Amino acid sequence: MSSKDEELIHKIAAERQIAVDEAALKKAGEYIEAEEGATNRLAGVLGHFVAAVAVIMSFFHLYAAYAIVPTQQLRMYHVGFVLFLVFLLFPFSRRFRHRVMWWDWIAAAVSLVVVGYGIAGGDDFTDRSTIPTNLDMVFGVILTLLVLEAARRGTGWIMPMVCVLFVAYAMLGPQLGEPWTHRGYDISRLVGHMYMTLEGIFGVPVDVSSSLIILFTLYGAFLQFSGAGKFFIDFSFSAMGGKPTGAGRTIVLSSFLLGGPSGSGVATTVTLGTVAYPMLAKAGYGKDAAGGLLAAGGLGAIISPPVLGAAAFLIAEFLKISYLDVILMATIPTCLYYFALFLMVELDARKFGMKQVPFDKAETLWNLTKRFGFHFLSLIAIIVFMVLGFSPVSAVFWATMVAFVTSALHPDCALMSRRQMILFIVVVIATCVIYSAAKGGFHQDALSWALPAGALALVAAAFIGPGWRLWPAKLVKALEVGSVGVLNVAATCAAAGIIVGVVTLTGLGLKFSSIVLSYADSLTQGTTGLLSAVGIEITKTVVHDVKLLYTAVFTSLIVWIVGLAVPVTASYIICAVIAAPALITLGVPDFAAHMFIFYYAVLSEVSPPTALSPFAAAAITGGDPYKTTLQSWKYTMPAFLVPFMFVLDPAGLGLLLMGSFKALAKASVVDIALVCVTAMIGIAALAAGVQGWLFRKTTSPERWLLIAAGLALVYPKPLFDYIGIALIAIVIVLQKMRRADTASPA
């Protein structure tokens, strides 16, 4: 857990007079480290040196956001920075933590040499990728090993082992049986592909990491250090309350606001759990139920616009679409997810007879918004800039600048003093005006002069007057944390590039797709035989629908199983290249197939044995980790059946708003509204069935009828919608006919 997260937790706890269990917090922090990596906390000259490198890395990527940096150079510089910092900040093993060993320095130095060799080689380096020299092969093998070691330090053994298996598959192709066999590739061909082109280590995952992911982590760090996290939690406490459901609602809203900018499920779970669990306990939540709700709320951080998670940026790059389109597609599923959580909270209150919990509000909602509402501006700015036509990279860059400037609106939030901020802005604007006048019009090159000019003005002012000699500690720390926060994801992306490289080289994606489709074919034949036996006419449409259903089920299981072993980002990358083709072959639009895979990759956050969010929540509440995981499944499962709606039938694409603004403009509002209402009713039925409570406690038949109704409504066909509505109507009639029960909770 970062020191800033701990500081935020203790600050909110102190304000609300909540005792923080340091042992539980430490244990929960271990789960954050399992997701984000266990970093060294370095002090003295070494700590300042590493911090300086991280700040330089941040400045470089901010510069690359508005200036023109060649793609290959940007990716190589990014990997060089990442490897250098990973070997200094992530220990070889826990017993060497908080110190840098001699082998760490060697690995860090060799990383710079290997990457520098590629940068210095220029176009000649890439041109000889099919016939690499001996030195190329030596450096290529070394870089591959360094990337695997960096991934091991950042995420554990499983990711590098998966990469090794893929490399073995590429080399042993002729020895494998059908349908896995292929021509096979030797070391020289693999090195050329992985090291010397933009198809392997420096491929799409690193492209996204170097251009988008790091900018969003910087943006999140600017919000974090300007106090946005505390405001979002206080805002939720003030907005939700006065009812028995107030405690649960506060968790749901604050997880959305706090998790959206960060994109980290485990960190959101721990931060909220530490300060909000006492409130949940007073309301009547058991340890496991409270932990499940906290984990479910934290999971929302990964699927909530505008940041979503790292995998969402990869969707845009794989599909070659705007990130704004990805946000558009995620809008309704995110609303449905939080609708399901709010619904489960309402049912909890009725099922467990929860009582209203009076909790102190830091301030009234109006006063909070009046004083700190500017924190919302940068979140809105991201969307506004993209709607105005800015690229995602430019949009997040300018949103970060908005967060930086608006932080000065309150002295407790300012990333630098107001006096310094005013001087900096005046010099930047003046330089832009002068540059634009000289060039005959404004363009972004002006910033290459204006931003350094603003920094120099601050340095000059510090020499002129003592009042200007204020070190902008918050700003520097935000720049440092922004780069450090991306390291484990970037290392994962570099390692995933090896997997993507093998898939593109060997055609594994199509082979895997054919295997999935063959299994679906076998089951389809058996199912259609049974349907025919009971008198149902078997048409081509029926055969296709049944086959698509089985393929979607197989794909969700594959993504889920892969997600048990590797992080969300890696899970999405692997399954996007090996599992998505099966769905696309059956006519599912590529954007729907990738969003389907994204949502099931996210499920790994609440799936044992790597259920980090529920395990972290259990550490806070003192509950049983596996029971807490089951509770988190209960809260999330209704919403996670929704992705089937947008792959099983074209009507379900309305939940993704047809995948783009262009398609949305031609879509039927009525059709989209209808599928949304159907999804909401289906989620409500599933929630009631899972909870065992509708208007009152359900009987066993009522419960199964509600679950069947929910599943039927999730299948986007008119016949199944009618069946689902009819089943719900039956349950409502049965409940109304029964005398009101005062039974105790199930």
Side-chain angles (χ1 to χ4, degrees), residues 169 179 182 185 501-513 577:
Y169 171 77
H182 60 87
Y185 299 91
V502 169
V503 171
T504 58
L505 200 60
T506 62
L508 177 61
L510 296 177
K511 296 177 192 295
F512 196 86
S513 171
V577 294

Side-chain angles (χ1 to χ4, degrees), residues 199-223:
E199 299 294 331
I201 291 171
F202 303 110
V204 169
V206 162
D207 179 32
V208 175
S209 174
S210 64
S211 59
L212 269 175
I213 297 176
I214 186 168
L215 290 178
F216 272 98
T217 58
L218 278 167
Y219 168 66
F222 272 56
L223 282 182

Side-chain angles (χ1 to χ4, degrees), residues 52 61 168 195 214 266 384 528 582 633 741:
H61 284 90
Y195 175 46
I214 186 168
V266 184
V384 171
T528 52
W633 271 29
D741 250 343

Side-chain angles (χ1 to χ4, degrees), residues 23-248:
L25 186 60
K26 182 179 179 181
K27 186 176 179 182
E30 292 174 2
Y31 291 109
I32 296 180
E33 291 176 353
E35 181 185 51
E36 302 178 359
T39 57
N40 293 323
R41 292 189 179 181
L42 304 174
V45 175
L46 181 57
H48 291 312
F49 169 74
V50 172
V53 174
V55 170
I56 292 169
M57 178 179 175
S58 293
F59 275 127
F60 169 74
H61 284 90
L62 288 171
Y63 167 77
Y66 65 83
I68 298 174
V69 178
T71 301
Q72 185 165 347
Q73 288 186 20
L74 174 60
R75 298 184 194 183
M76 287 186 168
Y77 278 122
H78 179 70
V79 171
F81 272 120
V82 167
L83 292 179
F84 184 80
L85 286 173
V86 163
F87 289 122
L88 296 185
L89 282 173
F90 290 75
F92 179 79
S93 67
R94 285 187 177 272
R95 64 194 181 100
F96 299 114
R97 199 168 176 191
H98 305 314
R99 49 193 167 139
V100 180
M101 308 303 294
W102 60 268
W103 53 77
D104 296 324
W105 284 110
I106 291 175
V110 171
S111 299
L112 296 182
V113 171
V114 171
V115 173
Y117 175 78
I119 295 171
D123 292 339
D124 291 339
F125 179 72
T126 54
D127 289 343
R128 62 175 185 266
S129 62
T130 54
I131 45 170
T133 65
N134 289 335
L135 190 57
D136 293 338
M137 286 193 287
V138 170
F139 279 167
V141 170
I142 291 173
L143 179 64
T144 302
L145 294 175
L146 289 172
V147 166
L148 293 177
E149 170 60 10
R152 184 197 68 80
R153 293 190 183 200
T155 62
W157 278 101
I158 296 177
M159 185 64 186
M161 290 304 297
V162 171
C163 293
V164 169
L165 290 175
F166 271 83
V167 171
Y169 171 77
M171 298 179 70
L172 302 175
Q175 282 73 50
L176 302 174
E178 290 290 346
W180 304 103
T181 188
H182 60 87
R183 55 169 285 191
Y185 299 91
D186 60 15
I187 290 290
S188 65
R189 186 72 181 92
L190 284 174
V191 165
H193 191 70
M194 300 294 176
Y195 175 46
M196 305 175 72
T197 71
L198 299 181
E199 299 294 331
I201 291 171
F202 303 110
V204 169
V206 162
D207 179 32
V208 175
S209 174
S210 64
S211 59
L212 269 175
I213 297 176
I214 186 168
L215 290 178
F216 272 98
T217 58
L218 278 167
Y219 168 66
F222 272 56
L223 282 182
Q224 182 184 24
F225 281 88
S226 63
K230 181 179 181 303
F231 164 67
F232 292 148
I233 293 176
D234 288 339
F235 180 88
S236 301
F237 272 79
S238 296
M240 299 292 174
K243 290 186 178 181
T245 54

Side-chain angles (χ1 to χ4, degrees), residues 5-26:
D5 288 332
E6 291 182 10
E7 181 185 330
L8 174 62
I9 288 169
H10 285 98
K11 191 171 183 179
I12 296 174
E15 280 188 3
R16 301 186 179 280
Q17 298 180 338
I18 297 170
V20 176
D21 186 336
E22 296 296 341
L25 186 60
K26 182 179 179 181

Side-chain angles (χ1 to χ4, degrees), residues 250-416:
T250 300
I251 297 301
V252 176
L253 178 60
S254 55
S255 65
F256 171 72
L257 293 174
L258 185 65
S262 75
S264 173
V266 184
T268 301
T269 298
V270 172
T271 302
L272 279 179
T274 306
V275 298
Y277 170 61
M279 178 180 65
L280 291 174
K282 287 179 184 177
Y285 280 87
K287 294 179 179 181
D288 300 326
L293 179 58
L294 288 165
L299 190 69
I302 310 176
I303 62 172
S304 299
V307 179
L308 295 156
F313 307 125
L314 289 159
I315 293 173
E317 191 60 31
F318 274 124
L319 298 179
K320 302 300 179 187
I321 62 175
S322 165
Y323 182 64
L324 186 60
D325 288 338
V326 178
I327 292 176
L328 178 74
M329 290 190 287
T331 300
I332 290 179
T334 300
C335 292
L336 291 175
Y337 179 80
Y338 282 101
F339 168 74
L341 285 187
F342 274 116
L343 203 58
M344 296 292 273
V345 166
E346 295 290 334
L347 291 172
D348 275 340
R350 287 157 177 74
K351 179 180 177 182
F352 296 110
M354 291 178 175
K355 53 186 181 292
Q356 180 178 331
V357 180
F359 49 86
D360 295 331
K361 298 180 181 181
E363 289 187 59
T364 64
L365 184 63
W366 170 244
N367 283 340
L368 264 177
T369 306
K370 190 166 59 174
R371 293 180 63 205
F372 300 105
F374 58 84
H375 286 302
F376 287 125
L377 293 177
S378 62
L379 292 171
I380 298 169
I382 292 178
I383 307 298
V384 171
F385 284 132
M386 283 195 276
V387 169
L388 292 175
F390 285 63
S391 70
V393 171
S394 295
V396 71
F397 170 80
W398 287 110
T400 304
M401 294 301 105
V402 169
F404 169 60
V405 173
T406 55
S407 72
L409 293 176
H410 194 283
D412 293 341
C413 301
L415 293 172
M416 64 168 60

Side-chain angles (χ1 to χ4, degrees), residues 429-466:
I429 292 174
T431 306
C432 285
V433 170
I434 294 170
Y435 185 90
S436 299
K439 292 288 184 178
F442 177 80
H443 49 90
Q444 287 193 340
D445 285 351
L447 291 174
S448 300
W449 295 91
L451 294 178
L456 286 173
L458 291 175
V459 173
F463 280 104
I464 294 171

